[in-house]
Amino acid sequence: MSNHSETRTSRVTVRLIALQILVFSLLLTLGGRLWYLQIRNGQEYANEARNNHVQQVVDPATRGSILDARGVPLADNQTRLVVSASRTALLKMKDDGKAVLGRLAKVLGMPEKDIRNKVRLCDSKTPQPCWNGSPYQPIPITDKATTQQALQIRERSEDFPGISAEPTAVRRYAAPGDANTAQVLGYLSPVTDEEINKAKNTRSPLLRSDQIGRSGLERQYDDYLRGKAAVTRYEVDNLGRVIGQAKSDKGQAGSSVITSIDARVQAIAEKQLDQAMKDARKVHDRNTGTNYKADSGAVVVMEAKTGRVVAMASNPTYDPNAWVGGISGKDYARLTGKDSNYPLLNRAIQGQAAPGSIFKVISTSAAINAGYDFDGHYPCTSSYSIGGQVFKNFEGEGHGDISLGRALEVSCDTVFYRLSHDEWKKDGGDKPKKNANDWFYKTAHQFGLGKETGIDLPNEVKGRVPDRKWKHDFWMANKAGWCEQAKAWPKKKDFGTKLAREGCLEGMKLHAYDSINYAIGQGDTLVTPIQMATIYAALANGGTLHDPTVGKAVVSPDGKHIQMIKPKAHGKLPDTPTTLKQIDSALAGVATRGTAAWRFQGWPQDKIPMHAKTGTAEVYGKQTTSWFATYTKDFTIVMTISQGGTGSGASGPAVRNIYNALYGVDPKGEINPKAALLPKPQASLPKIEGDGTIQAQPIKPYVLPSPSPSGSPQ
């Protein structure tokens, strides 16, 4: 028994040892294989694995349209033959693709240098044209290729490696009825790597193939307009063979944006602004001895009750189609060079200037809030003197004792000089009281100056209210430079050195002459046309300051979802209903018996009450800036022309012609409702079909009747 048990135990032991040896051998073999795969040949297999990668095929989304209030396309898409170059493929060639680009230049009939410039990458030292998108994305050379050129490229593919010629949907700025609308619409350009990284974790990530809005509505509503590209992902091996399909993303076309712009009114506004500037250049400026330069201008047409923008024009302007397919070096220089006068600027929201006498509605409100009687008697003398300085009334006119209302009508500067000077003295003058009232400055802030209006366009500027705080901050920022320049005194007594010396010593003080100039919209005050349009619209509607809006609705691609963009208010004018009524009556007087009366001769005042205020702002070193601010119960129009002369003289005829078009008023003052472009402000949307198609009403060119009557300014 004992021997049998010992034998069985011995066998079990042997088996266990054998099993252990077997397991150890297997582990040793596995470890050796892992060492072989990961250590000895690890790099080789890693390289092979990397060669099995995922390739993306991107089908760009069709960008949504931008439409006017009647459904007329202002910006949409059209199919063009686009010739593109793969920079990656070109750089793999021995000559970096020079020969290919040379052959391409001959086919397209383009200078070879222009093509080479288009495929170089942008950096801080590289001038346009260059490519500011991803270097891995096909770079468009031209979107104007003919069918014959595209066929040559595709049939001779061996001569054009890395070059493609494909039908592609590209942006089109239609300019219906010659309504350019450039600065309002903006333009597109390729996305950059920095923008892609920044948008990674947002609700609207960007692809390398995307084009994004750079200004105007294209930028403001880019998330809606851009849509979502379809992305199909394929697993491919190192030979480029597809070995499987990975997860793909469905595409979605961009939504359309319906605006409050009426293309017919927009076209009229643009033409009238341009004509007003041309006419101003024919007028002799007796102060400089030359004709007015009229180098830039802007006009805003707004619904008074809602703040919706019906038209907005800026001059000089440009063709946004120049950016489609990549801008040429010649076009880029023309739009951005020193001699261009910067047409890319939307001067309606970015152009800042002293407002001149159209500011006096604010000074009137400030005076009433400070306790002055609207119907009181205020001396309108030909000049006003303080400290040996003489401040003249415009053209040296005097009108005796007049009310504030009459002071607005005849635009009497000296009335407002006195009021502002008196308030400055009450507040402590050069040594202000701790709780100075500063009515004239406080009221300007309450009217919305010194901050953005909130319009749905990017890069709006704030303007400037030169109150005590601004004066001190400005001095702190500039005193070092002023004091350095002032060291040249008294050896150098030119005007610039004198100003620097005054700034160094007393630049932090709000002087009497600062307040006097400020009261008539001169000095350091800066406003934009959209700010003044918002203010005059508030005077028209009973005191509500609206956020101006251009967008009216966003419509999904299928037309089933409509997101309305409702007007919003950001404040109220600091005036009682009585004060508003008094100012309203005075501004009606400006149009009937004041400084604007000669421009509104024959206007049907009894049926469509017109209100106006003229402004002529003096600018150091330049000719005067023309301002004309007006409103009816329906619309507000503000026009300005830099170096254009007087308010009523330069801008008046153009504004009158826009009103003639809006209401269908002929030169005799007769109203023809059938000829009116907008008999009443539109609140409705154009008809939208179930498939998302927006039915546009036909647009016909509007021809103004013969010129309105004119006379001589008062």
Side-chain angles (χ1 to χ4, degrees):
M1 271 307 279
S2 177
N3 290 337
H4 181 71
S5 296
E6 289 176 1
T7 302
R8 189 168 65 180
T9 301
S10 177
R11 289 175 181 173
V12 171
T13 302
V14 170
R15 288 175 181 173
L16 287 172
I17 292 172
L19 183 60
Q20 289 174 345
I21 293 172
L22 179 61
V23 170
F24 180 76
S25 299
L26 289 173
L27 290 174
L28 186 63
T29 302
L30 180 60
R33 183 60 177 169
L34 288 173
W35 175 85
Y36 179 82
L37 292 173
Q38 293 186 8
I39 306 301
R40 181 175 177 180
N41 286 357
Q43 188 60 45
E44 177 184 346
Y45 285 107
N47 291 338
E48 288 186 16
R50 273 196 292 270
N51 287 331
N52 292 335
H53 55 275
V54 175
Q55 284 279 17
Q56 288 190 159
V57 177
V58 178
D59 184 11
T62 301
R63 193 170 179 87
S65 298
I66 301 175
L67 308 135
D68 87 338
R70 302 164 71 248
V72 177
L74 301 171
D76 57 6
N77 308 286
Q78 65 179 176
T79 301
R80 296 186 193 174
L81 285 169
V82 177
V83 175
S84 302
S86 168
R87 180 178 170 82
T88 303
L90 294 175
L91 292 179
K92 288 180 179 178
M93 303 173 191
K94 290 183 179 180
D95 63 351
D96 293 335
K98 290 182 180 179
V100 172
L101 295 180
R103 290 191 290 270
L104 182 63
K106 292 179 181 179
V107 171
L108 297 177
M110 295 174 63
E112 186 177 342
K113 181 181 178 182
D114 288 357
I115 293 180
R116 287 203 305 269
N117 286 347
K118 283 198 171 189
V119 299
R120 64 185 177 180
L121 300 182
C122 294
D123 58 33
S124 59
K125 298 180 181 179
T126 305
Q128 289 282 350
C130 56
W131 180 248
N132 67 347
S134 168
Y136 306 105
Q137 179 183 338
I139 301 171
I141 303 298
T142 180
D143 62 357
K144 298 178 177 65
T146 65
T147 303
Q148 184 178 0
Q149 289 169 337
L151 286 174
Q152 281 185 270
I153 294 168
R154 298 183 73 168
E155 290 176 354
R156 295 164 49 197
S157 58
E158 69 279 1
D159 292 334
F160 298 101
I163 306 298
S164 61
E166 300 291 341
T168 307
V170 297
R171 204 62 165 162
R172 179 184 74 128
Y173 298 96
D178 293 331
N180 186 32
T181 331
Q183 292 88 354
V184 175
L185 293 172
Y187 58 91
L188 305 175
S189 71
V191 67
T192 64
D193 286 342
E194 182 182 353
E195 289 166 334
I196 291 173
N197 293 331
K198 190 175 180 180
K200 270 184 178 179
N201 298 319
T202 67
R203 69 182 184 89
S204 299
L206 294 167
L207 297 174
R208 297 189 186 279
S209 58
D210 281 335
Q211 297 256 329
I212 61 174
R214 293 298 176 192
S215 66
L217 294 170
E218 293 279 28
R219 176 175 170 181
Q220 185 74 23
Y221 292 100
D222 186 72
D223 285 354
Y224 296 102
L225 292 164
R226 188 174 359 108
K228 183 181 178 183
V231 181
T232 305
R233 297 178 180 86
Y234 296 99
E235 293 182 9
V236 297
D237 61 16
N238 60 335
L239 297 177
R241 296 173 299 195
V242 177
I243 59 176
Q245 184 170 338
K247 181 182 177 183
S248 298
D249 300 328
K250 291 183 178 180
Q252 183 178 355
S255 298
S256 292
V257 174
I258 299 175
T259 71
S260 55
I261 298 290
D262 188 299
R264 302 168 302 169
V265 183
Q266 179 71 27
I268 291 290
E270 290 176 7
K271 290 174 184 175
Q272 287 303 309
L273 174 62
D274 187 62
Q275 189 61 50
M277 292 170 64
K278 289 177 180 176
D279 291 343
R281 295 180 194 126
K282 300 174 185 176
V283 178
H284 186 73
D285 178 10
R286 64 189 181 189
N287 293 322
T288 62
T290 61
N291 285 6
Y292 286 105
K293 295 179 181 179
D295 53 357
S296 63
V299 60
V300 176
V301 183
M302 180 186 290
E303 289 182 4
K305 295 178 182 177
T306 65
R308 293 193 186 280
V309 176
V310 178
M312 177 182 284
S314 180
N315 194 310
T317 189
Y318 69 100
D319 181 3
N321 288 299
W323 295 87
V324 177
I327 192 166
S328 69
K330 182 179 179 181
D331 283 340
Y332 188 81
R334 183 174 57 84
L335 295 179
T336 60
K338 290 182 180 179
D339 298 329
S340 69
N341 204 13
Y342 310 107
L344 298 180
L345 279 178
N346 184 349
R347 285 174 164 81
I349 66 170
Q350 296 172 302
Q352 302 181 104
S357 291
I358 66 169
F359 184 83
K360 287 174 182 173
V361 294
I362 299 171
S363 295
T364 300
S365 175
I368 295 170
N369 289 339
Y372 296 89
D373 184 2
F374 185 87
D375 294 319
H377 298 282
Y378 306 95
C380 178
T381 54
S382 60
S383 64
Y384 184 73
S385 300
I386 56 166
Q389 279 187 290
V390 178
F391 296 84
K392 291 185 178 181
N393 203 14
F394 186 69
E395 297 190 344
E397 287 186 295
H399 294 274
D401 285 358
I402 59 177
S403 68
L404 285 178
R406 185 61 181 160
L408 282 175
E409 290 178 5
V410 299
S411 204
C412 180
D413 292 339
T414 52
V415 166
F416 295 97
Y417 289 155
R418 282 186 172 85
L419 293 172
S420 181
H421 190 205
D422 287 347
E423 284 304 302
W424 175 82
K425 288 186 289 187
K426 288 179 183 178
D427 287 331
D430 283 332
K431 298 177 181 178
K433 298 175 182 177
K434 185 176 181 180
N435 296 312
N437 287 316
D438 283 335
W439 282 111
F440 280 74
Y441 299 96
K442 183 190 299 182
T443 302
H445 285 293
Q446 291 170 329
F447 268 68
L449 297 184
K451 60 184 177 183
E452 296 96 338
T453 63
I455 190 170
D456 55 340
L457 289 173
N459 300 320
E460 180 188 5
V461 299
K462 296 180 179 181
R464 182 168 68 206
V465 177
D467 53 17
R468 296 183 194 277
K469 182 181 184 305
W470 176 84
K471 190 81 173 174
H472 181 269
D473 292 346
F474 190 68
W475 176 73
M476 289 293 293
N478 292 279
K479 67 175 181 178
W482 286 336
C483 293
E484 181 64 30
Q485 186 179 349
K487 290 179 181 179
W489 186 272
K491 292 182 180 180
K492 188 177 181 183
K493 292 189 176 182
D494 63 296
F495 185 68
T497 306
K498 182 181 178 182
L499 284 180
R501 184 170 180 267
E502 289 180 2
C504 176
L505 298 174
E506 296 184 331
M508 79 298 290
K509 294 182 179 180
L510 188 67
H511 296 288
Y513 60 79
D514 290 322
S515 289
I516 284 175
N517 278 323
Y518 169 80
I520 62 165
Q522 301 282 177
D524 293 313
T525 306
L526 292 177
V527 301
T528 64
I530 194 65
Q531 286 176 325
M532 299 313 294
T534 302
I535 287 171
Y536 275 79
L539 291 170
N541 67 35
T544 301
L545 291 161
H546 283 103
D547 293 6
T549 53
V550 182
K552 184 181 281 189
V554 177
V555 182
S556 64
D558 59 9
K560 294 180 180 179
H561 302 284
I562 301 174
Q563 180 180 334
M564 294 298 297
I565 302 168
K566 296 181 180 179
K568 295 187 297 184
H570 62 254
K572 297 282 289 186
L573 296 181
D575 296 309
T576 65
T578 299
T579 299
L580 289 173
K581 188 175 181 180
Q582 289 170 328
I583 293 175
D584 182 80
S585 177
L587 296 178
V590 174
T592 56
R593 56 182 179 270
T595 56
W598 69 300
R599 289 307 187 193
F600 285 105
Q601 290 179 15
W603 180 260
Q605 188 73 9
D606 57 333
K607 297 174 183 174
I608 310 171
M610 179 63 66
H611 307 75
K613 187 71 194 79
T614 58
T616 306
E618 296 178 4
V619 182
Y620 175 72
K622 292 186 177 183
Q623 295 167 312
T624 55
T625 298
S626 167
W627 284 93
F628 205 54
T630 61
Y631 66 84
T632 63
K633 64 183 178 64
D634 300 316
F635 301 104
T636 298
I637 302 178
V638 172
M639 180 177 286
T640 183
I641 300 175
S642 170
Q643 304 197 89
T646 65
S648 60
S651 302
V655 172
R656 169 69 186 266
N657 281 333
I658 296 171
Y659 276 116
N660 287 345
L662 284 170
Y663 287 103
V665 178
D666 66 20
K668 296 180 180 179
E670 301 286 338
I671 301 173
N672 181 1
K674 292 183 179 179
L677 294 186
L678 287 177
K680 60 180 180 179
Q682 294 181 328
S684 60
L685 296 178
K687 186 178 180 182
I688 302 170
E689 303 293 343
D691 61 355
T693 304
I694 298 175
Q695 298 297 317
Q697 300 178 43
I699 183 168
K700 298 178 182 178
Y702 184 88
V703 180
L704 281 166
S706 57
S708 57
S710 62
S712 299
Q714 293 186 5

